[in-house]
Amino acid sequence: MAQTSSSSFFSQEEVTKLKSDFERSGMENIKPLIQKKLIELDNTELNIAVSGESGAGKSTFINALRGLQNADEGAAETGTTETTMEPIGYKHPNLPNVCLWDLPGIGTTKFPAEKYLSKMKFEKYDFFIIISACRFRENDVKLAKKIKKLGKKFYFIRSKIDMDFDSVRRGRRKFNEVEELEKIRKDCISKLDKAGIPSPCVFLISSFDLDLYDFNLLNKTLEDDLPRMKKMVYILSLPNVSVEIVQQKKKELMKRIWMLATLSGAVGAVPIPGVSLACDIGIVIKEIIHFRKCLGLDDVSLQRLANMTGKPVEELKAVVKTPLFGKITPDIIARMYWGYIAVASSSLELALDFIPVVGSIFGAGSSFLMTYKLLRNALDDLTENAQ
């Protein structure tokens, strides 16, 4: 059986084993592997190192990638002088397993190039961002070469592109923005190539307007380069600066739903009145809260958005039209349950999506079907509101 996108957390060997175990011993036998995979998902860490000279915009980029403004609580300290004397980790406000690390610039008196590698503990980082506000310098090249020797990925970011364009506009010179971007990119690539970095990945970014320039291209490159578990973590950590990112988050979250429904189906086979529904409610409530955090619909995220836009948080909350916004109670889930029960009895649509063991687990009964239906509809509803 071909591996589907929905089962991308599983290797082909694991998918084959799931199917074989189910056919041999039923739902209970595949439960441990799915539980193990969910635990692995929830505990996958992502550590991103950000380096560059003072004034390059490291801290502002770190804040922007976490959906924070420079003045927000927990934001990385910004300034025109080098404020970083050792690696400082900044956890994501909603996903604590994601951490961005502000590294001191290489080649300073305190951190000479020859000692930088050991002092910064390079092995802990999944990939490196090297930022420059103008042109990449000798120390940036030294750092890239050291990272390459370790077999790690690195990406060059040319920051403050918005300021470059503002400067051109103040000079009253007409210019084509696309052509200007390409000119800057080619110049960066050419200089890095001559310095000994062949085919460098260079992205042009404004940390104050992440939806502009190369931010989407950067995300696509990182997604292609990251292992499948870390790819999901990275996508879910992104700020909602575009509808495209919200849709990417939905796609990743959908991959969890069939696994949770399968666990529900395994419990649903227990012949004790009330056990199935109680377990379903617990799974659904926990996951809806997770969905809201990832999609920026929790109270803390909305308050940050209110601060950013200058609007009262009550005004933003008024736009959210879903019963899943406030406190999630068993009563709300029960009302959803009875609202969906008429259509959930059909498993035909489920055979088309998100089930790696195609057709096999549909016999698990209403617990699987209902948990799947509840979570899928909740995600649809929350995604629409996030957009």
Side-chain angles (χ1 to χ4, degrees):
M1 184 194 70
Q3 187 176 351
T4 66
S5 62
S6 58
S7 59
S8 61
F9 299 136
F10 293 85
S11 65
Q12 185 59 53
E13 182 180 353
E14 288 173 326
V15 171
T16 302
K17 186 177 187 304
L18 277 173
K19 186 174 182 179
S20 173
D21 287 351
F22 179 82
E23 290 173 347
R24 184 174 65 254
S25 305
M27 182 73 75
E28 193 63 30
N29 209 38
I30 68 173
K31 182 179 172 183
L33 179 56
I34 292 178
Q35 284 179 320
K36 178 184 176 182
K37 191 63 64 170
L38 282 167
I39 292 172
E40 187 179 347
L41 272 173
D42 291 338
N43 289 280
T44 295
E45 294 185 353
L46 184 64
N47 289 287
I48 304 170
V50 182
S51 184
E53 295 186 346
S54 61
K58 290 183 298 177
S59 297
T60 300
F61 177 77
I62 287 172
N63 292 336
L65 211 58
R66 296 187 299 147
L68 300 179
Q69 294 180 291
N70 291 340
D72 287 344
E73 182 179 353
E77 183 180 352
T78 59
T80 55
T81 59
E82 181 63 71
T83 58
T84 310
M85 292 296 103
E86 60 183 32
I88 301 176
Y90 295 94
K91 289 187 178 295
H92 191 279
N94 289 347
L95 300 174
N97 286 348
V98 178
C99 189
L100 286 93
W101 294 84
D102 188 350
L103 305 189
I106 188 173
T108 62
T109 304
K110 187 174 179 64
F111 297 105
E114 61 273 12
K115 295 182 179 179
Y116 193 83
L117 194 70
S118 60
K119 285 183 175 292
M120 296 303 109
K121 299 179 180 178
F122 273 23
E123 67 280 354
K124 76 187 293 183
Y125 308 114
D126 292 291
F127 62 87
F128 293 75
I129 298 289
I130 303 172
I131 294 185
S132 175
C134 48
R135 62 183 180 85
F136 295 100
R137 303 182 185 277
E138 181 183 355
N139 284 331
D140 297 321
V141 173
K142 286 181 180 178
L143 176 59
K145 289 179 176 179
K146 289 181 179 296
I147 297 169
K148 187 175 182 179
K149 284 184 178 180
L150 288 177
K152 299 273 189 176
K153 293 283 188 178
F154 58 91
Y155 309 88
F156 292 100
I157 284 184
R158 172 68 161 75
S159 64
K160 303 184 181 181
I161 294 298
D162 52 331
M163 295 177 65
D164 289 338
F165 284 179
D166 286 343
S167 178
V168 174
R169 291 188 185 98
R170 282 197 297 272
R172 298 180 181 274
R173 179 166 68 87
K174 291 183 178 180
F175 70 100
N176 181 295
E177 188 171 287
V178 174
E179 291 178 356
E180 193 71 18
L181 283 171
E182 192 59 26
K183 178 182 175 182
I184 296 172
R185 184 181 293 106
K186 285 182 177 179
D187 181 65
C188 291
I189 291 174
S190 174
K191 286 183 168 59
L192 287 168
D193 187 67
K194 289 177 181 177
I197 307 295
S199 304
C201 292
V202 178
F203 302 92
L204 313 182
I205 300 291
S206 165
S207 294
F208 294 107
D209 292 292
L210 287 182
D211 57 324
L212 301 178
Y213 316 125
D214 287 349
F215 186 64
N216 286 335
L217 182 60
L218 171 66
N219 290 334
K220 180 66 169 63
T221 303
L222 290 174
E223 291 163 25
D224 290 343
D225 290 348
L226 285 168
R228 53 182 175 258
M229 291 282 191
K230 291 182 182 289
K231 171 184 173 179
M232 179 187 191
V233 173
Y234 175 74
I235 291 174
L236 295 180
S237 73
L238 291 172
N240 290 348
V241 297
S242 69
V243 172
E244 181 183 6
I245 287 177
V246 175
Q247 284 295 327
Q248 284 180 292
K249 290 183 178 185
K250 178 184 178 181
K251 182 180 177 182
E252 294 302 316
L253 290 169
M254 283 293 290
K255 296 174 184 178
R256 294 173 56 96
I257 290 179
W258 73 265
M259 291 189 285
L260 293 160
T262 301
L263 291 183
S264 175
V267 176
V270 179
I272 301 176
V275 169
S276 172
L277 182 58
C279 179
D280 291 351
I281 288 176
I283 290 174
V284 171
I285 288 177
K286 180 181 178 182
E287 203 62 16
I288 287 175
I289 292 172
H290 179 62
F291 291 169
R292 291 193 315 198
K293 285 185 176 181
C294 293
L295 293 168
L297 291 175
D298 59 301
D299 286 341
V300 176
S301 296
L302 285 172
Q303 184 61 61
R304 285 198 301 269
L305 181 60
N307 296 340
M308 187 181 303
T309 59
K311 295 179 180 292
V313 69
E314 291 76 17
E315 185 175 329
L316 296 180
K317 289 182 177 181
V319 177
V320 181
K321 305 298 182 183
T322 171
L324 304 176
F325 179 64
K327 183 178 181 181
I328 307 298
T329 64
D331 182 57
I332 290 174
I333 303 304
R335 289 202 301 271
M336 290 172 60
Y337 180 95
W338 293 113
Y340 297 145
I341 197 167
V343 292
S345 58
S346 170
S347 62
L348 178 60
E349 61 179 339
L350 300 183
L352 303 177
D353 293 306
F354 307 107
I355 312 298
V357 190
V358 177
S360 299
I361 61 177
F362 297 147
S366 62
S367 183
F368 169 86
L369 294 173
M370 187 51 60
T371 301
Y372 182 93
K373 187 70 176 178
L374 285 169
L375 288 175
R376 196 185 68 173
N377 279 273
L379 183 56
D380 287 344
D381 191 5
L382 291 170
T383 300
E384 182 178 347
N385 280 276
Q387 290 177 170

Short mmCIF file of all heavy atoms in Angstrom, two decimals, residues 299-329:
data_model
loop_
_atom_site.label_atom_id
_atom_site.label_comp_id
_atom_site.label_asym_id
_atom_site.label_seq_id
_atom_site.Cartn_x
_atom_site.Cartn_y
_atom_site.Cartn_z
N ASP A 299 -6.64 32.94 24.25
CA ASP A 299 -6.74 34.29 24.82
C ASP A 299 -5.43 35.06 24.74
O ASP A 299 -5.41 36.25 24.41
CB ASP A 299 -7.21 34.21 26.28
CG ASP A 299 -8.69 33.86 26.41
OD1 ASP A 299 -9.41 34.04 25.41
OD2 ASP A 299 -9.11 33.41 27.48
N VAL A 300 -4.31 34.39 25.04
CA VAL A 300 -3.01 35.07 25.05
C VAL A 300 -2.65 35.54 23.64
O VAL A 300 -2.17 36.66 23.45
CB VAL A 300 -1.92 34.14 25.62
CG1 VAL A 300 -0.56 34.81 25.53
CG2 VAL A 300 -2.24 33.78 27.07
N SER A 301 -2.87 34.69 22.65
CA SER A 301 -2.54 35.05 21.27
C SER A 301 -3.40 36.21 20.80
O SER A 301 -2.92 37.13 20.10
CB SER A 301 -2.74 33.85 20.34
OG SER A 301 -1.85 32.81 20.66
N LEU A 302 -4.68 36.19 21.15
CA LEU A 302 -5.57 37.27 20.72
C LEU A 302 -5.20 38.59 21.40
O LEU A 302 -5.32 39.65 20.79
CB LEU A 302 -7.02 36.91 21.03
CG LEU A 302 -7.64 35.87 20.09
CD1 LEU A 302 -9.00 35.43 20.59
CD2 LEU A 302 -7.76 36.41 18.67
N GLN A 303 -4.72 38.52 22.64
CA GLN A 303 -4.28 39.75 23.31
C GLN A 303 -3.05 40.33 22.61
O GLN A 303 -2.94 41.55 22.44
CB GLN A 303 -3.98 39.47 24.78
CG GLN A 303 -3.61 40.71 25.59
CD GLN A 303 -4.73 41.75 25.61
OE1 GLN A 303 -5.83 41.49 26.09
NE2 GLN A 303 -4.46 42.93 25.06
N ARG A 304 -2.14 39.46 22.20
CA ARG A 304 -0.96 39.94 21.45
C ARG A 304 -1.37 40.58 20.13
O ARG A 304 -0.84 41.61 19.73
CB ARG A 304 0.01 38.78 21.19
CG ARG A 304 0.81 38.34 22.39
CD ARG A 304 2.03 37.54 21.97
NE ARG A 304 1.67 36.36 21.22
CZ ARG A 304 1.45 35.16 21.77
NH1 ARG A 304 1.57 35.00 23.09
NH2 ARG A 304 1.14 34.12 21.03
N LEU A 305 -2.35 39.97 19.47
CA LEU A 305 -2.83 40.52 18.21
C LEU A 305 -3.50 41.87 18.44
O LEU A 305 -3.33 42.80 17.63
CB LEU A 305 -3.81 39.54 17.55
CG LEU A 305 -4.39 39.96 16.20
CD1 LEU A 305 -3.27 40.17 15.18
CD2 LEU A 305 -5.38 38.92 15.70
N ALA A 306 -4.24 41.98 19.53
CA ALA A 306 -4.88 43.26 19.86
C ALA A 306 -3.84 44.35 20.09
O ALA A 306 -3.98 45.48 19.61
CB ALA A 306 -5.77 43.09 21.10
N ASN A 307 -2.76 44.00 20.80
CA ASN A 307 -1.69 44.97 21.04
C ASN A 307 -1.04 45.40 19.73
O ASN A 307 -0.70 46.57 19.54
CB ASN A 307 -0.63 44.36 21.96
CG ASN A 307 -1.17 44.05 23.35
OD1 ASN A 307 -2.20 44.58 23.76
ND2 ASN A 307 -0.49 43.16 24.06
N MET A 308 -0.87 44.43 18.82
CA MET A 308 -0.21 44.71 17.55
C MET A 308 -1.05 45.61 16.65
O MET A 308 -0.53 46.50 15.98
CB MET A 308 0.10 43.39 16.84
CG MET A 308 0.93 43.51 15.58
SD MET A 308 1.21 41.90 14.81
CE MET A 308 2.00 41.01 16.16
N THR A 309 -2.36 45.36 16.64
CA THR A 309 -3.24 46.10 15.74
C THR A 309 -3.81 47.37 16.37
O THR A 309 -4.41 48.19 15.66
CB THR A 309 -4.42 45.22 15.29
OG1 THR A 309 -5.16 44.79 16.46
CG2 THR A 309 -3.92 43.99 14.54
N GLY A 310 -3.63 47.52 17.68
CA GLY A 310 -4.18 48.69 18.35
C GLY A 310 -5.68 48.62 18.55
O GLY A 310 -6.35 49.65 18.77
N LYS A 311 -6.24 47.42 18.46
CA LYS A 311 -7.69 47.24 18.65
C LYS A 311 -7.96 46.61 20.01
O LYS A 311 -7.14 45.84 20.52
CB LYS A 311 -8.26 46.33 17.55
CG LYS A 311 -8.17 46.90 16.14
CD LYS A 311 -8.74 45.91 15.14
CE LYS A 311 -8.66 46.46 13.72
NZ LYS A 311 -9.55 47.61 13.53
N PRO A 312 -9.11 46.91 20.63
CA PRO A 312 -9.47 46.23 21.87
C PRO A 312 -9.62 44.74 21.64
O PRO A 312 -10.14 44.32 20.59
CB PRO A 312 -10.83 46.87 22.24
CG PRO A 312 -10.88 48.14 21.47
CD PRO A 312 -10.11 47.91 20.21
N VAL A 313 -9.18 43.93 22.58
CA VAL A 313 -9.25 42.49 22.40
C VAL A 313 -10.70 42.03 22.27
O VAL A 313 -11.01 41.04 21.58
CB VAL A 313 -8.54 41.76 23.56
CG1 VAL A 313 -9.31 41.93 24.88
CG2 VAL A 313 -8.32 40.29 23.23
N GLU A 314 -11.63 42.76 22.92
CA GLU A 314 -13.05 42.41 22.81
C GLU A 314 -13.54 42.53 21.38
O GLU A 314 -14.40 41.76 20.93
CB GLU A 314 -13.90 43.29 23.74
CG GLU A 314 -13.70 43.04 25.23
CD GLU A 314 -12.40 43.64 25.74
OE1 GLU A 314 -11.82 44.50 25.03
OE2 GLU A 314 -11.95 43.25 26.85
N GLU A 315 -12.99 43.50 20.65
CA GLU A 315 -13.38 43.69 19.25
C GLU A 315 -12.93 42.51 18.40
O GLU A 315 -13.65 42.06 17.49
CB GLU A 315 -12.78 44.99 18.71
CG GLU A 315 -13.23 45.35 17.31
CD GLU A 315 -12.70 46.71 16.87
OE1 GLU A 315 -12.52 47.58 17.73
OE2 GLU A 315 -12.47 46.88 15.65
N LEU A 316 -11.74 41.99 18.68
CA LEU A 316 -11.25 40.83 17.95
C LEU A 316 -12.06 39.59 18.30
O LEU A 316 -12.40 38.79 17.43
CB LEU A 316 -9.78 40.60 18.26
CG LEU A 316 -8.79 41.68 17.83
CD1 LEU A 316 -7.37 41.29 18.21
CD2 LEU A 316 -8.88 41.93 16.33
N LYS A 317 -12.38 39.43 19.57
CA LYS A 317 -13.14 38.26 20.00
C LYS A 317 -14.54 38.26 19.39
O LYS A 317 -15.12 37.20 19.13
CB LYS A 317 -13.24 38.22 21.52
CG LYS A 317 -11.92 37.87 22.20
CD LYS A 317 -12.08 37.79 23.72
CE LYS A 317 -10.78 37.36 24.39
NZ LYS A 317 -10.92 37.25 25.87
N ALA A 318 -15.07 39.45 19.15
CA ALA A 318 -16.41 39.56 18.58
C ALA A 318 -16.45 39.02 17.16
O ALA A 318 -17.51 38.62 16.66
CB ALA A 318 -16.88 41.01 18.62
N VAL A 319 -15.30 39.02 16.49
CA VAL A 319 -15.23 38.53 15.11
C VAL A 319 -15.26 37.00 15.08
O VAL A 319 -15.67 36.40 14.09
CB VAL A 319 -13.95 39.06 14.42
CG1 VAL A 319 -13.82 38.51 13.01
CG2 VAL A 319 -13.95 40.58 14.40
N VAL A 320 -14.82 36.37 16.16
CA VAL A 320 -14.74 34.92 16.22
C VAL A 320 -16.13 34.34 16.43
O VAL A 320 -16.74 34.54 17.47
CB VAL A 320 -13.79 34.47 17.35
CG1 VAL A 320 -13.69 32.95 17.38
CG2 VAL A 320 -12.42 35.10 17.17
N LYS A 321 -16.62 33.64 15.45
CA LYS A 321 -17.98 33.08 15.50
C LYS A 321 -17.92 31.56 15.60
O LYS A 321 -18.04 30.83 14.63
CB LYS A 321 -18.76 33.49 14.24
CG LYS A 321 -18.82 34.98 13.97
CD LYS A 321 -19.53 35.74 15.08
CE LYS A 321 -19.62 37.23 14.75
NZ LYS A 321 -20.24 38.00 15.87
N THR A 322 -17.65 31.08 16.80
CA THR A 322 -17.60 29.65 17.02
C THR A 322 -17.88 29.35 18.49
O THR A 322 -17.42 30.09 19.37
CB THR A 322 -16.23 29.06 16.62
OG1 THR A 322 -16.16 27.69 17.06
CG2 THR A 322 -15.09 29.84 17.25
N PRO A 323 -18.61 28.28 18.78
CA PRO A 323 -18.82 27.88 20.19
C PRO A 323 -17.56 27.31 20.82
O PRO A 323 -17.54 27.04 22.02
CB PRO A 323 -19.92 26.82 20.07
CG PRO A 323 -19.76 26.25 18.70
CD PRO A 323 -19.34 27.41 17.85
N LEU A 324 -16.51 27.12 20.03
CA LEU A 324 -15.28 26.51 20.52
C LEU A 324 -14.28 27.54 21.01
O LEU A 324 -13.13 27.21 21.28
CB LEU A 324 -14.64 25.67 19.41
CG LEU A 324 -15.53 24.59 18.79
CD1 LEU A 324 -14.80 23.91 17.65
CD2 LEU A 324 -15.95 23.59 19.84
N PHE A 325 -14.70 28.78 21.15
CA PHE A 325 -13.77 29.84 21.50
C PHE A 325 -13.51 29.94 23.00
O PHE A 325 -12.39 30.06 23.44
CB PHE A 325 -14.27 31.18 20.97
CG PHE A 325 -13.36 32.33 21.33
CD1 PHE A 325 -12.07 32.37 20.84
CD2 PHE A 325 -13.79 33.33 22.17
CE1 PHE A 325 -11.21 33.41 21.19
CE2 PHE A 325 -12.94 34.37 22.51
CZ PHE A 325 -11.66 34.41 22.02
N GLY A 326 -14.56 29.89 23.81
CA GLY A 326 -14.41 30.04 25.25
C GLY A 326 -13.99 28.73 25.91
O GLY A 326 -13.25 27.93 25.34
N LYS A 327 -14.43 28.54 27.10
CA LYS A 327 -14.12 27.32 27.83
C LYS A 327 -14.80 26.13 27.17
O LYS A 327 -16.00 26.16 26.89
CB LYS A 327 -14.57 27.44 29.30
CG LYS A 327 -14.20 26.23 30.14
CD LYS A 327 -14.63 26.43 31.59
CE LYS A 327 -14.25 25.21 32.44
NZ LYS A 327 -14.69 25.37 33.85
N ILE A 328 -14.03 25.08 26.90
CA ILE A 328 -14.58 23.87 26.28
C ILE A 328 -15.03 22.92 27.38
O ILE A 328 -14.23 22.47 28.20
CB ILE A 328 -13.55 23.18 25.37
CG1 ILE A 328 -12.96 24.17 24.37
CG2 ILE A 328 -14.17 22.00 24.64
CD1 ILE A 328 -13.97 24.75 23.42
N THR A 329 -16.32 22.62 27.40
CA THR A 329 -16.88 21.75 28.44
C THR A 329 -17.43 20.48 27.81
O THR A 329 -17.72 20.44 26.61
CB THR A 329 -18.02 22.47 29.18
OG1 THR A 329 -19.09 22.71 28.24
CG2 THR A 329 -17.54 23.80 29.76
#
